[in-house]
Amino acid sequence: MIGRLLAAAAIASAPLATQVAARAASNGTSCANIAALTIPNITIRSSTAVAAGPFTPPGASNALTLPAFCRVEATARPTSDSDIHFEVWIPPAEAWNGKLEGVGNGGYSGAIGYAAMAAGLRRGYAVVSTDTGHAGDDMKFGQGHPEKVIDWAYRSIHVMTDAAKLVVRDAQGRFADRAYFVGCSSGGHQALSEAQRYPDDYDGIIAGDPANNRIRQTFAFLYSWAATHTPDGKPILPAPKLALLTKSAIDACDALDGLKDGIIDDPRRCHFDPAKLACKGSAEDASCLTPPQVDAARKMYEGVKNPRTGEPIFTGWPRGSEGFGESAIQSWRQYVIDPMEPMRVGFFRYFLFHDPNWDYRTIDLDRDLAFAEQKLPFMAAVEKDLTPFKKRGGKLLMYTGWADPVVPPQDTVAYYDAVAKTMGGLDKTREFYRFFLAPGMGHCSGGPGPNQFDMLTALEQWVEKGVAPERITASHSTNGKVDRTRPLCLYPQVARWKGTGSTDDAVNFACVTEAPNAPVRRTTGGGGRE
Ligand SMILES: [Ca+2]
């Protein structure tokens, strides 16, 4: 308290910039001298002051426009086979918000997330990102390098976080007040892994569209590829048929949520059967599906089961995710249809069987899954007991798109439900872990539903002010112009139109509790939140 009073007095009596600069000069290390910092197993390769303006990251073709920062490039070697590159970007003391943000990766990407770092830096954060210990998206890096697989799976994020805290302390003369982690897709996986494995690393964590059930998801990619390709590897469902499926599913299920708005609010309510599109007679055209196409679509919706026990191995993909946009990532194309062989087949070849010639047609979904879960349990982040994270006061926000064609949202829902059961129910879980589903949103972004929102501000409010988010406003834009806003509701609540006002304005929606298969209840008049 005394410190705070003194600081207030000092700010009142001196211009802010002078005051902060004086503190920085007395306590922090100049950017160039940070390279002299010695941390076990860490090599600081360079520390360079970067002036405000355009900055082109390594490997990028376009420059980012950034405020001034100190760029620290470093390598971590927690094992003799490790080669984890990471960067810490630190704002000057007068621009620093006093916090550290770790940012996540995508796919198996061995690349530092410069764009995400830039976003954090612009908000005043010191930011850190890693290449996860290898370069490039190819999974060959794991062949003969089990420690590198561990670095990718969970270790690199922890190591970069530990080191970044010390680097920031050195630069600013004090530790960051808070540390947050923000990631989507693999970054969402990393986010949950941090909460599960290293609860002390972060005060607040955002997990978007988390690919945390990694082993089973990888088996599902393989199964789904086989289900959607002919024996000689040709795709059964071409892109126009994917778009046809989405359009037909929306036509069939849009109104089930009580509002015809082009969005399937909850695909679990939707039981659209692709057989409805079966071609009449033998002639195939753009408006119908052949019997193999019907069969392939059904298998995509149904998911993969253990052939011996019939137990589900992994959920299918939701209706509405088939092909809702022009790009491959806005459809089943990128991860299932377009690849020449099953996506992430390298998992089996290089991480699991150590056989680069392994033939995916020899998969045994029963025996091989058991083997994978025994050999590589660290590849997944599915621990349901988050007591250590809750106890240390951590806050976790999770979101996902109900039309995600990459990570099926049903699996994310199942994980949250399982955590809630383990942690003593929904109320006790919500004290530290809140989940928001975005109807009609694709993988981390895009889609017909509102898909842009500021989760980090919500997390800051929760961690720093104790204000837990109840609803988060999301927007949808066309050609850069917002044309719809909606609340994302605290799971398991859903957004329902109040009955008056524009259905494109979030204020006209209430978040209500509804069982997924119960009849839709429309709220009327004001309020109505439950
Ligand atoms: Ca609807």
Side-chain angles (χ1 to χ4, degrees), residues 380-459:
V382 291
E383 173 59 52
K384 300 172 193 73
D385 184 355
L386 301 181
T387 302
F389 185 69
K390 182 181 184 182
K391 269 198 172 153
R392 61 88 80 206
K395 300 286 184 276
L396 175 56
L397 283 182
M398 184 166 76
Y399 65 87
T400 199
W402 256 138
D404 189 331
V406 181
V407 178
Q410 301 97 313
D411 189 64
T412 310
V413 170
Y415 174 69
Y416 188 81
D417 286 345
V419 171
K421 201 174 165 194
T422 305
M423 297 300 295
L426 201 52
D427 288 344
K428 286 198 162 66
T429 304
R430 282 175 176 169
E431 289 170 9
F432 76 101
Y433 182 11
R434 293 186 168 221
F435 179 28
F436 295 86
L437 278 152
M441 183 175 97
H443 185 57
C444 296
S445 65
N451 54 66
Q452 289 160 308
F453 41 83
D454 182 0
M455 208 52 73
L456 183 52
T457 294
L459 183 65

Side-chain angles (χ1 to χ4, degrees), residues 28-153:
T29 301
S30 72
C31 185
N33 287 337
I34 289 172
L37 183 64
T38 54
I39 306 173
N41 303 322
I42 305 285
T43 304
I44 297 181
R45 306 196 309 274
S46 73
S47 56
T48 317
V50 178
F55 172 78
T56 305
S61 44
N62 295 323
L64 301 162
T65 302
L66 297 175
F69 65 102
C70 173
R71 180 185 181 206
V72 178
E73 297 174 276
T75 303
R77 290 195 176 84
T79 75
S80 60
D81 197 34
S82 294
D83 185 28
I84 300 168
H85 288 211
F86 65 99
E87 292 195 24
V88 190
W89 291 1
I90 308 153
E94 68 274 15
W96 187 38
N97 66 8
K99 297 180 276 187
L100 170 68
E101 180 187 335
V103 301
N105 300 78
Y108 287 77
S109 158
I112 287 169
Y114 292 110
M117 292 180 83
L121 186 72
R122 290 187 192 111
R123 290 177 72 131
Y125 278 91
V127 288
V128 59
S129 175
T130 174
D131 67 356
T132 69
H134 68 274
D137 200 45
D138 194 303
M139 296 170 78
K140 279 183 187 154
F141 75 86
Q143 175 75 6
H145 294 279
E147 295 292 346
K148 284 190 195 296
V149 176
I150 293 172
D151 286 339
W152 174 83

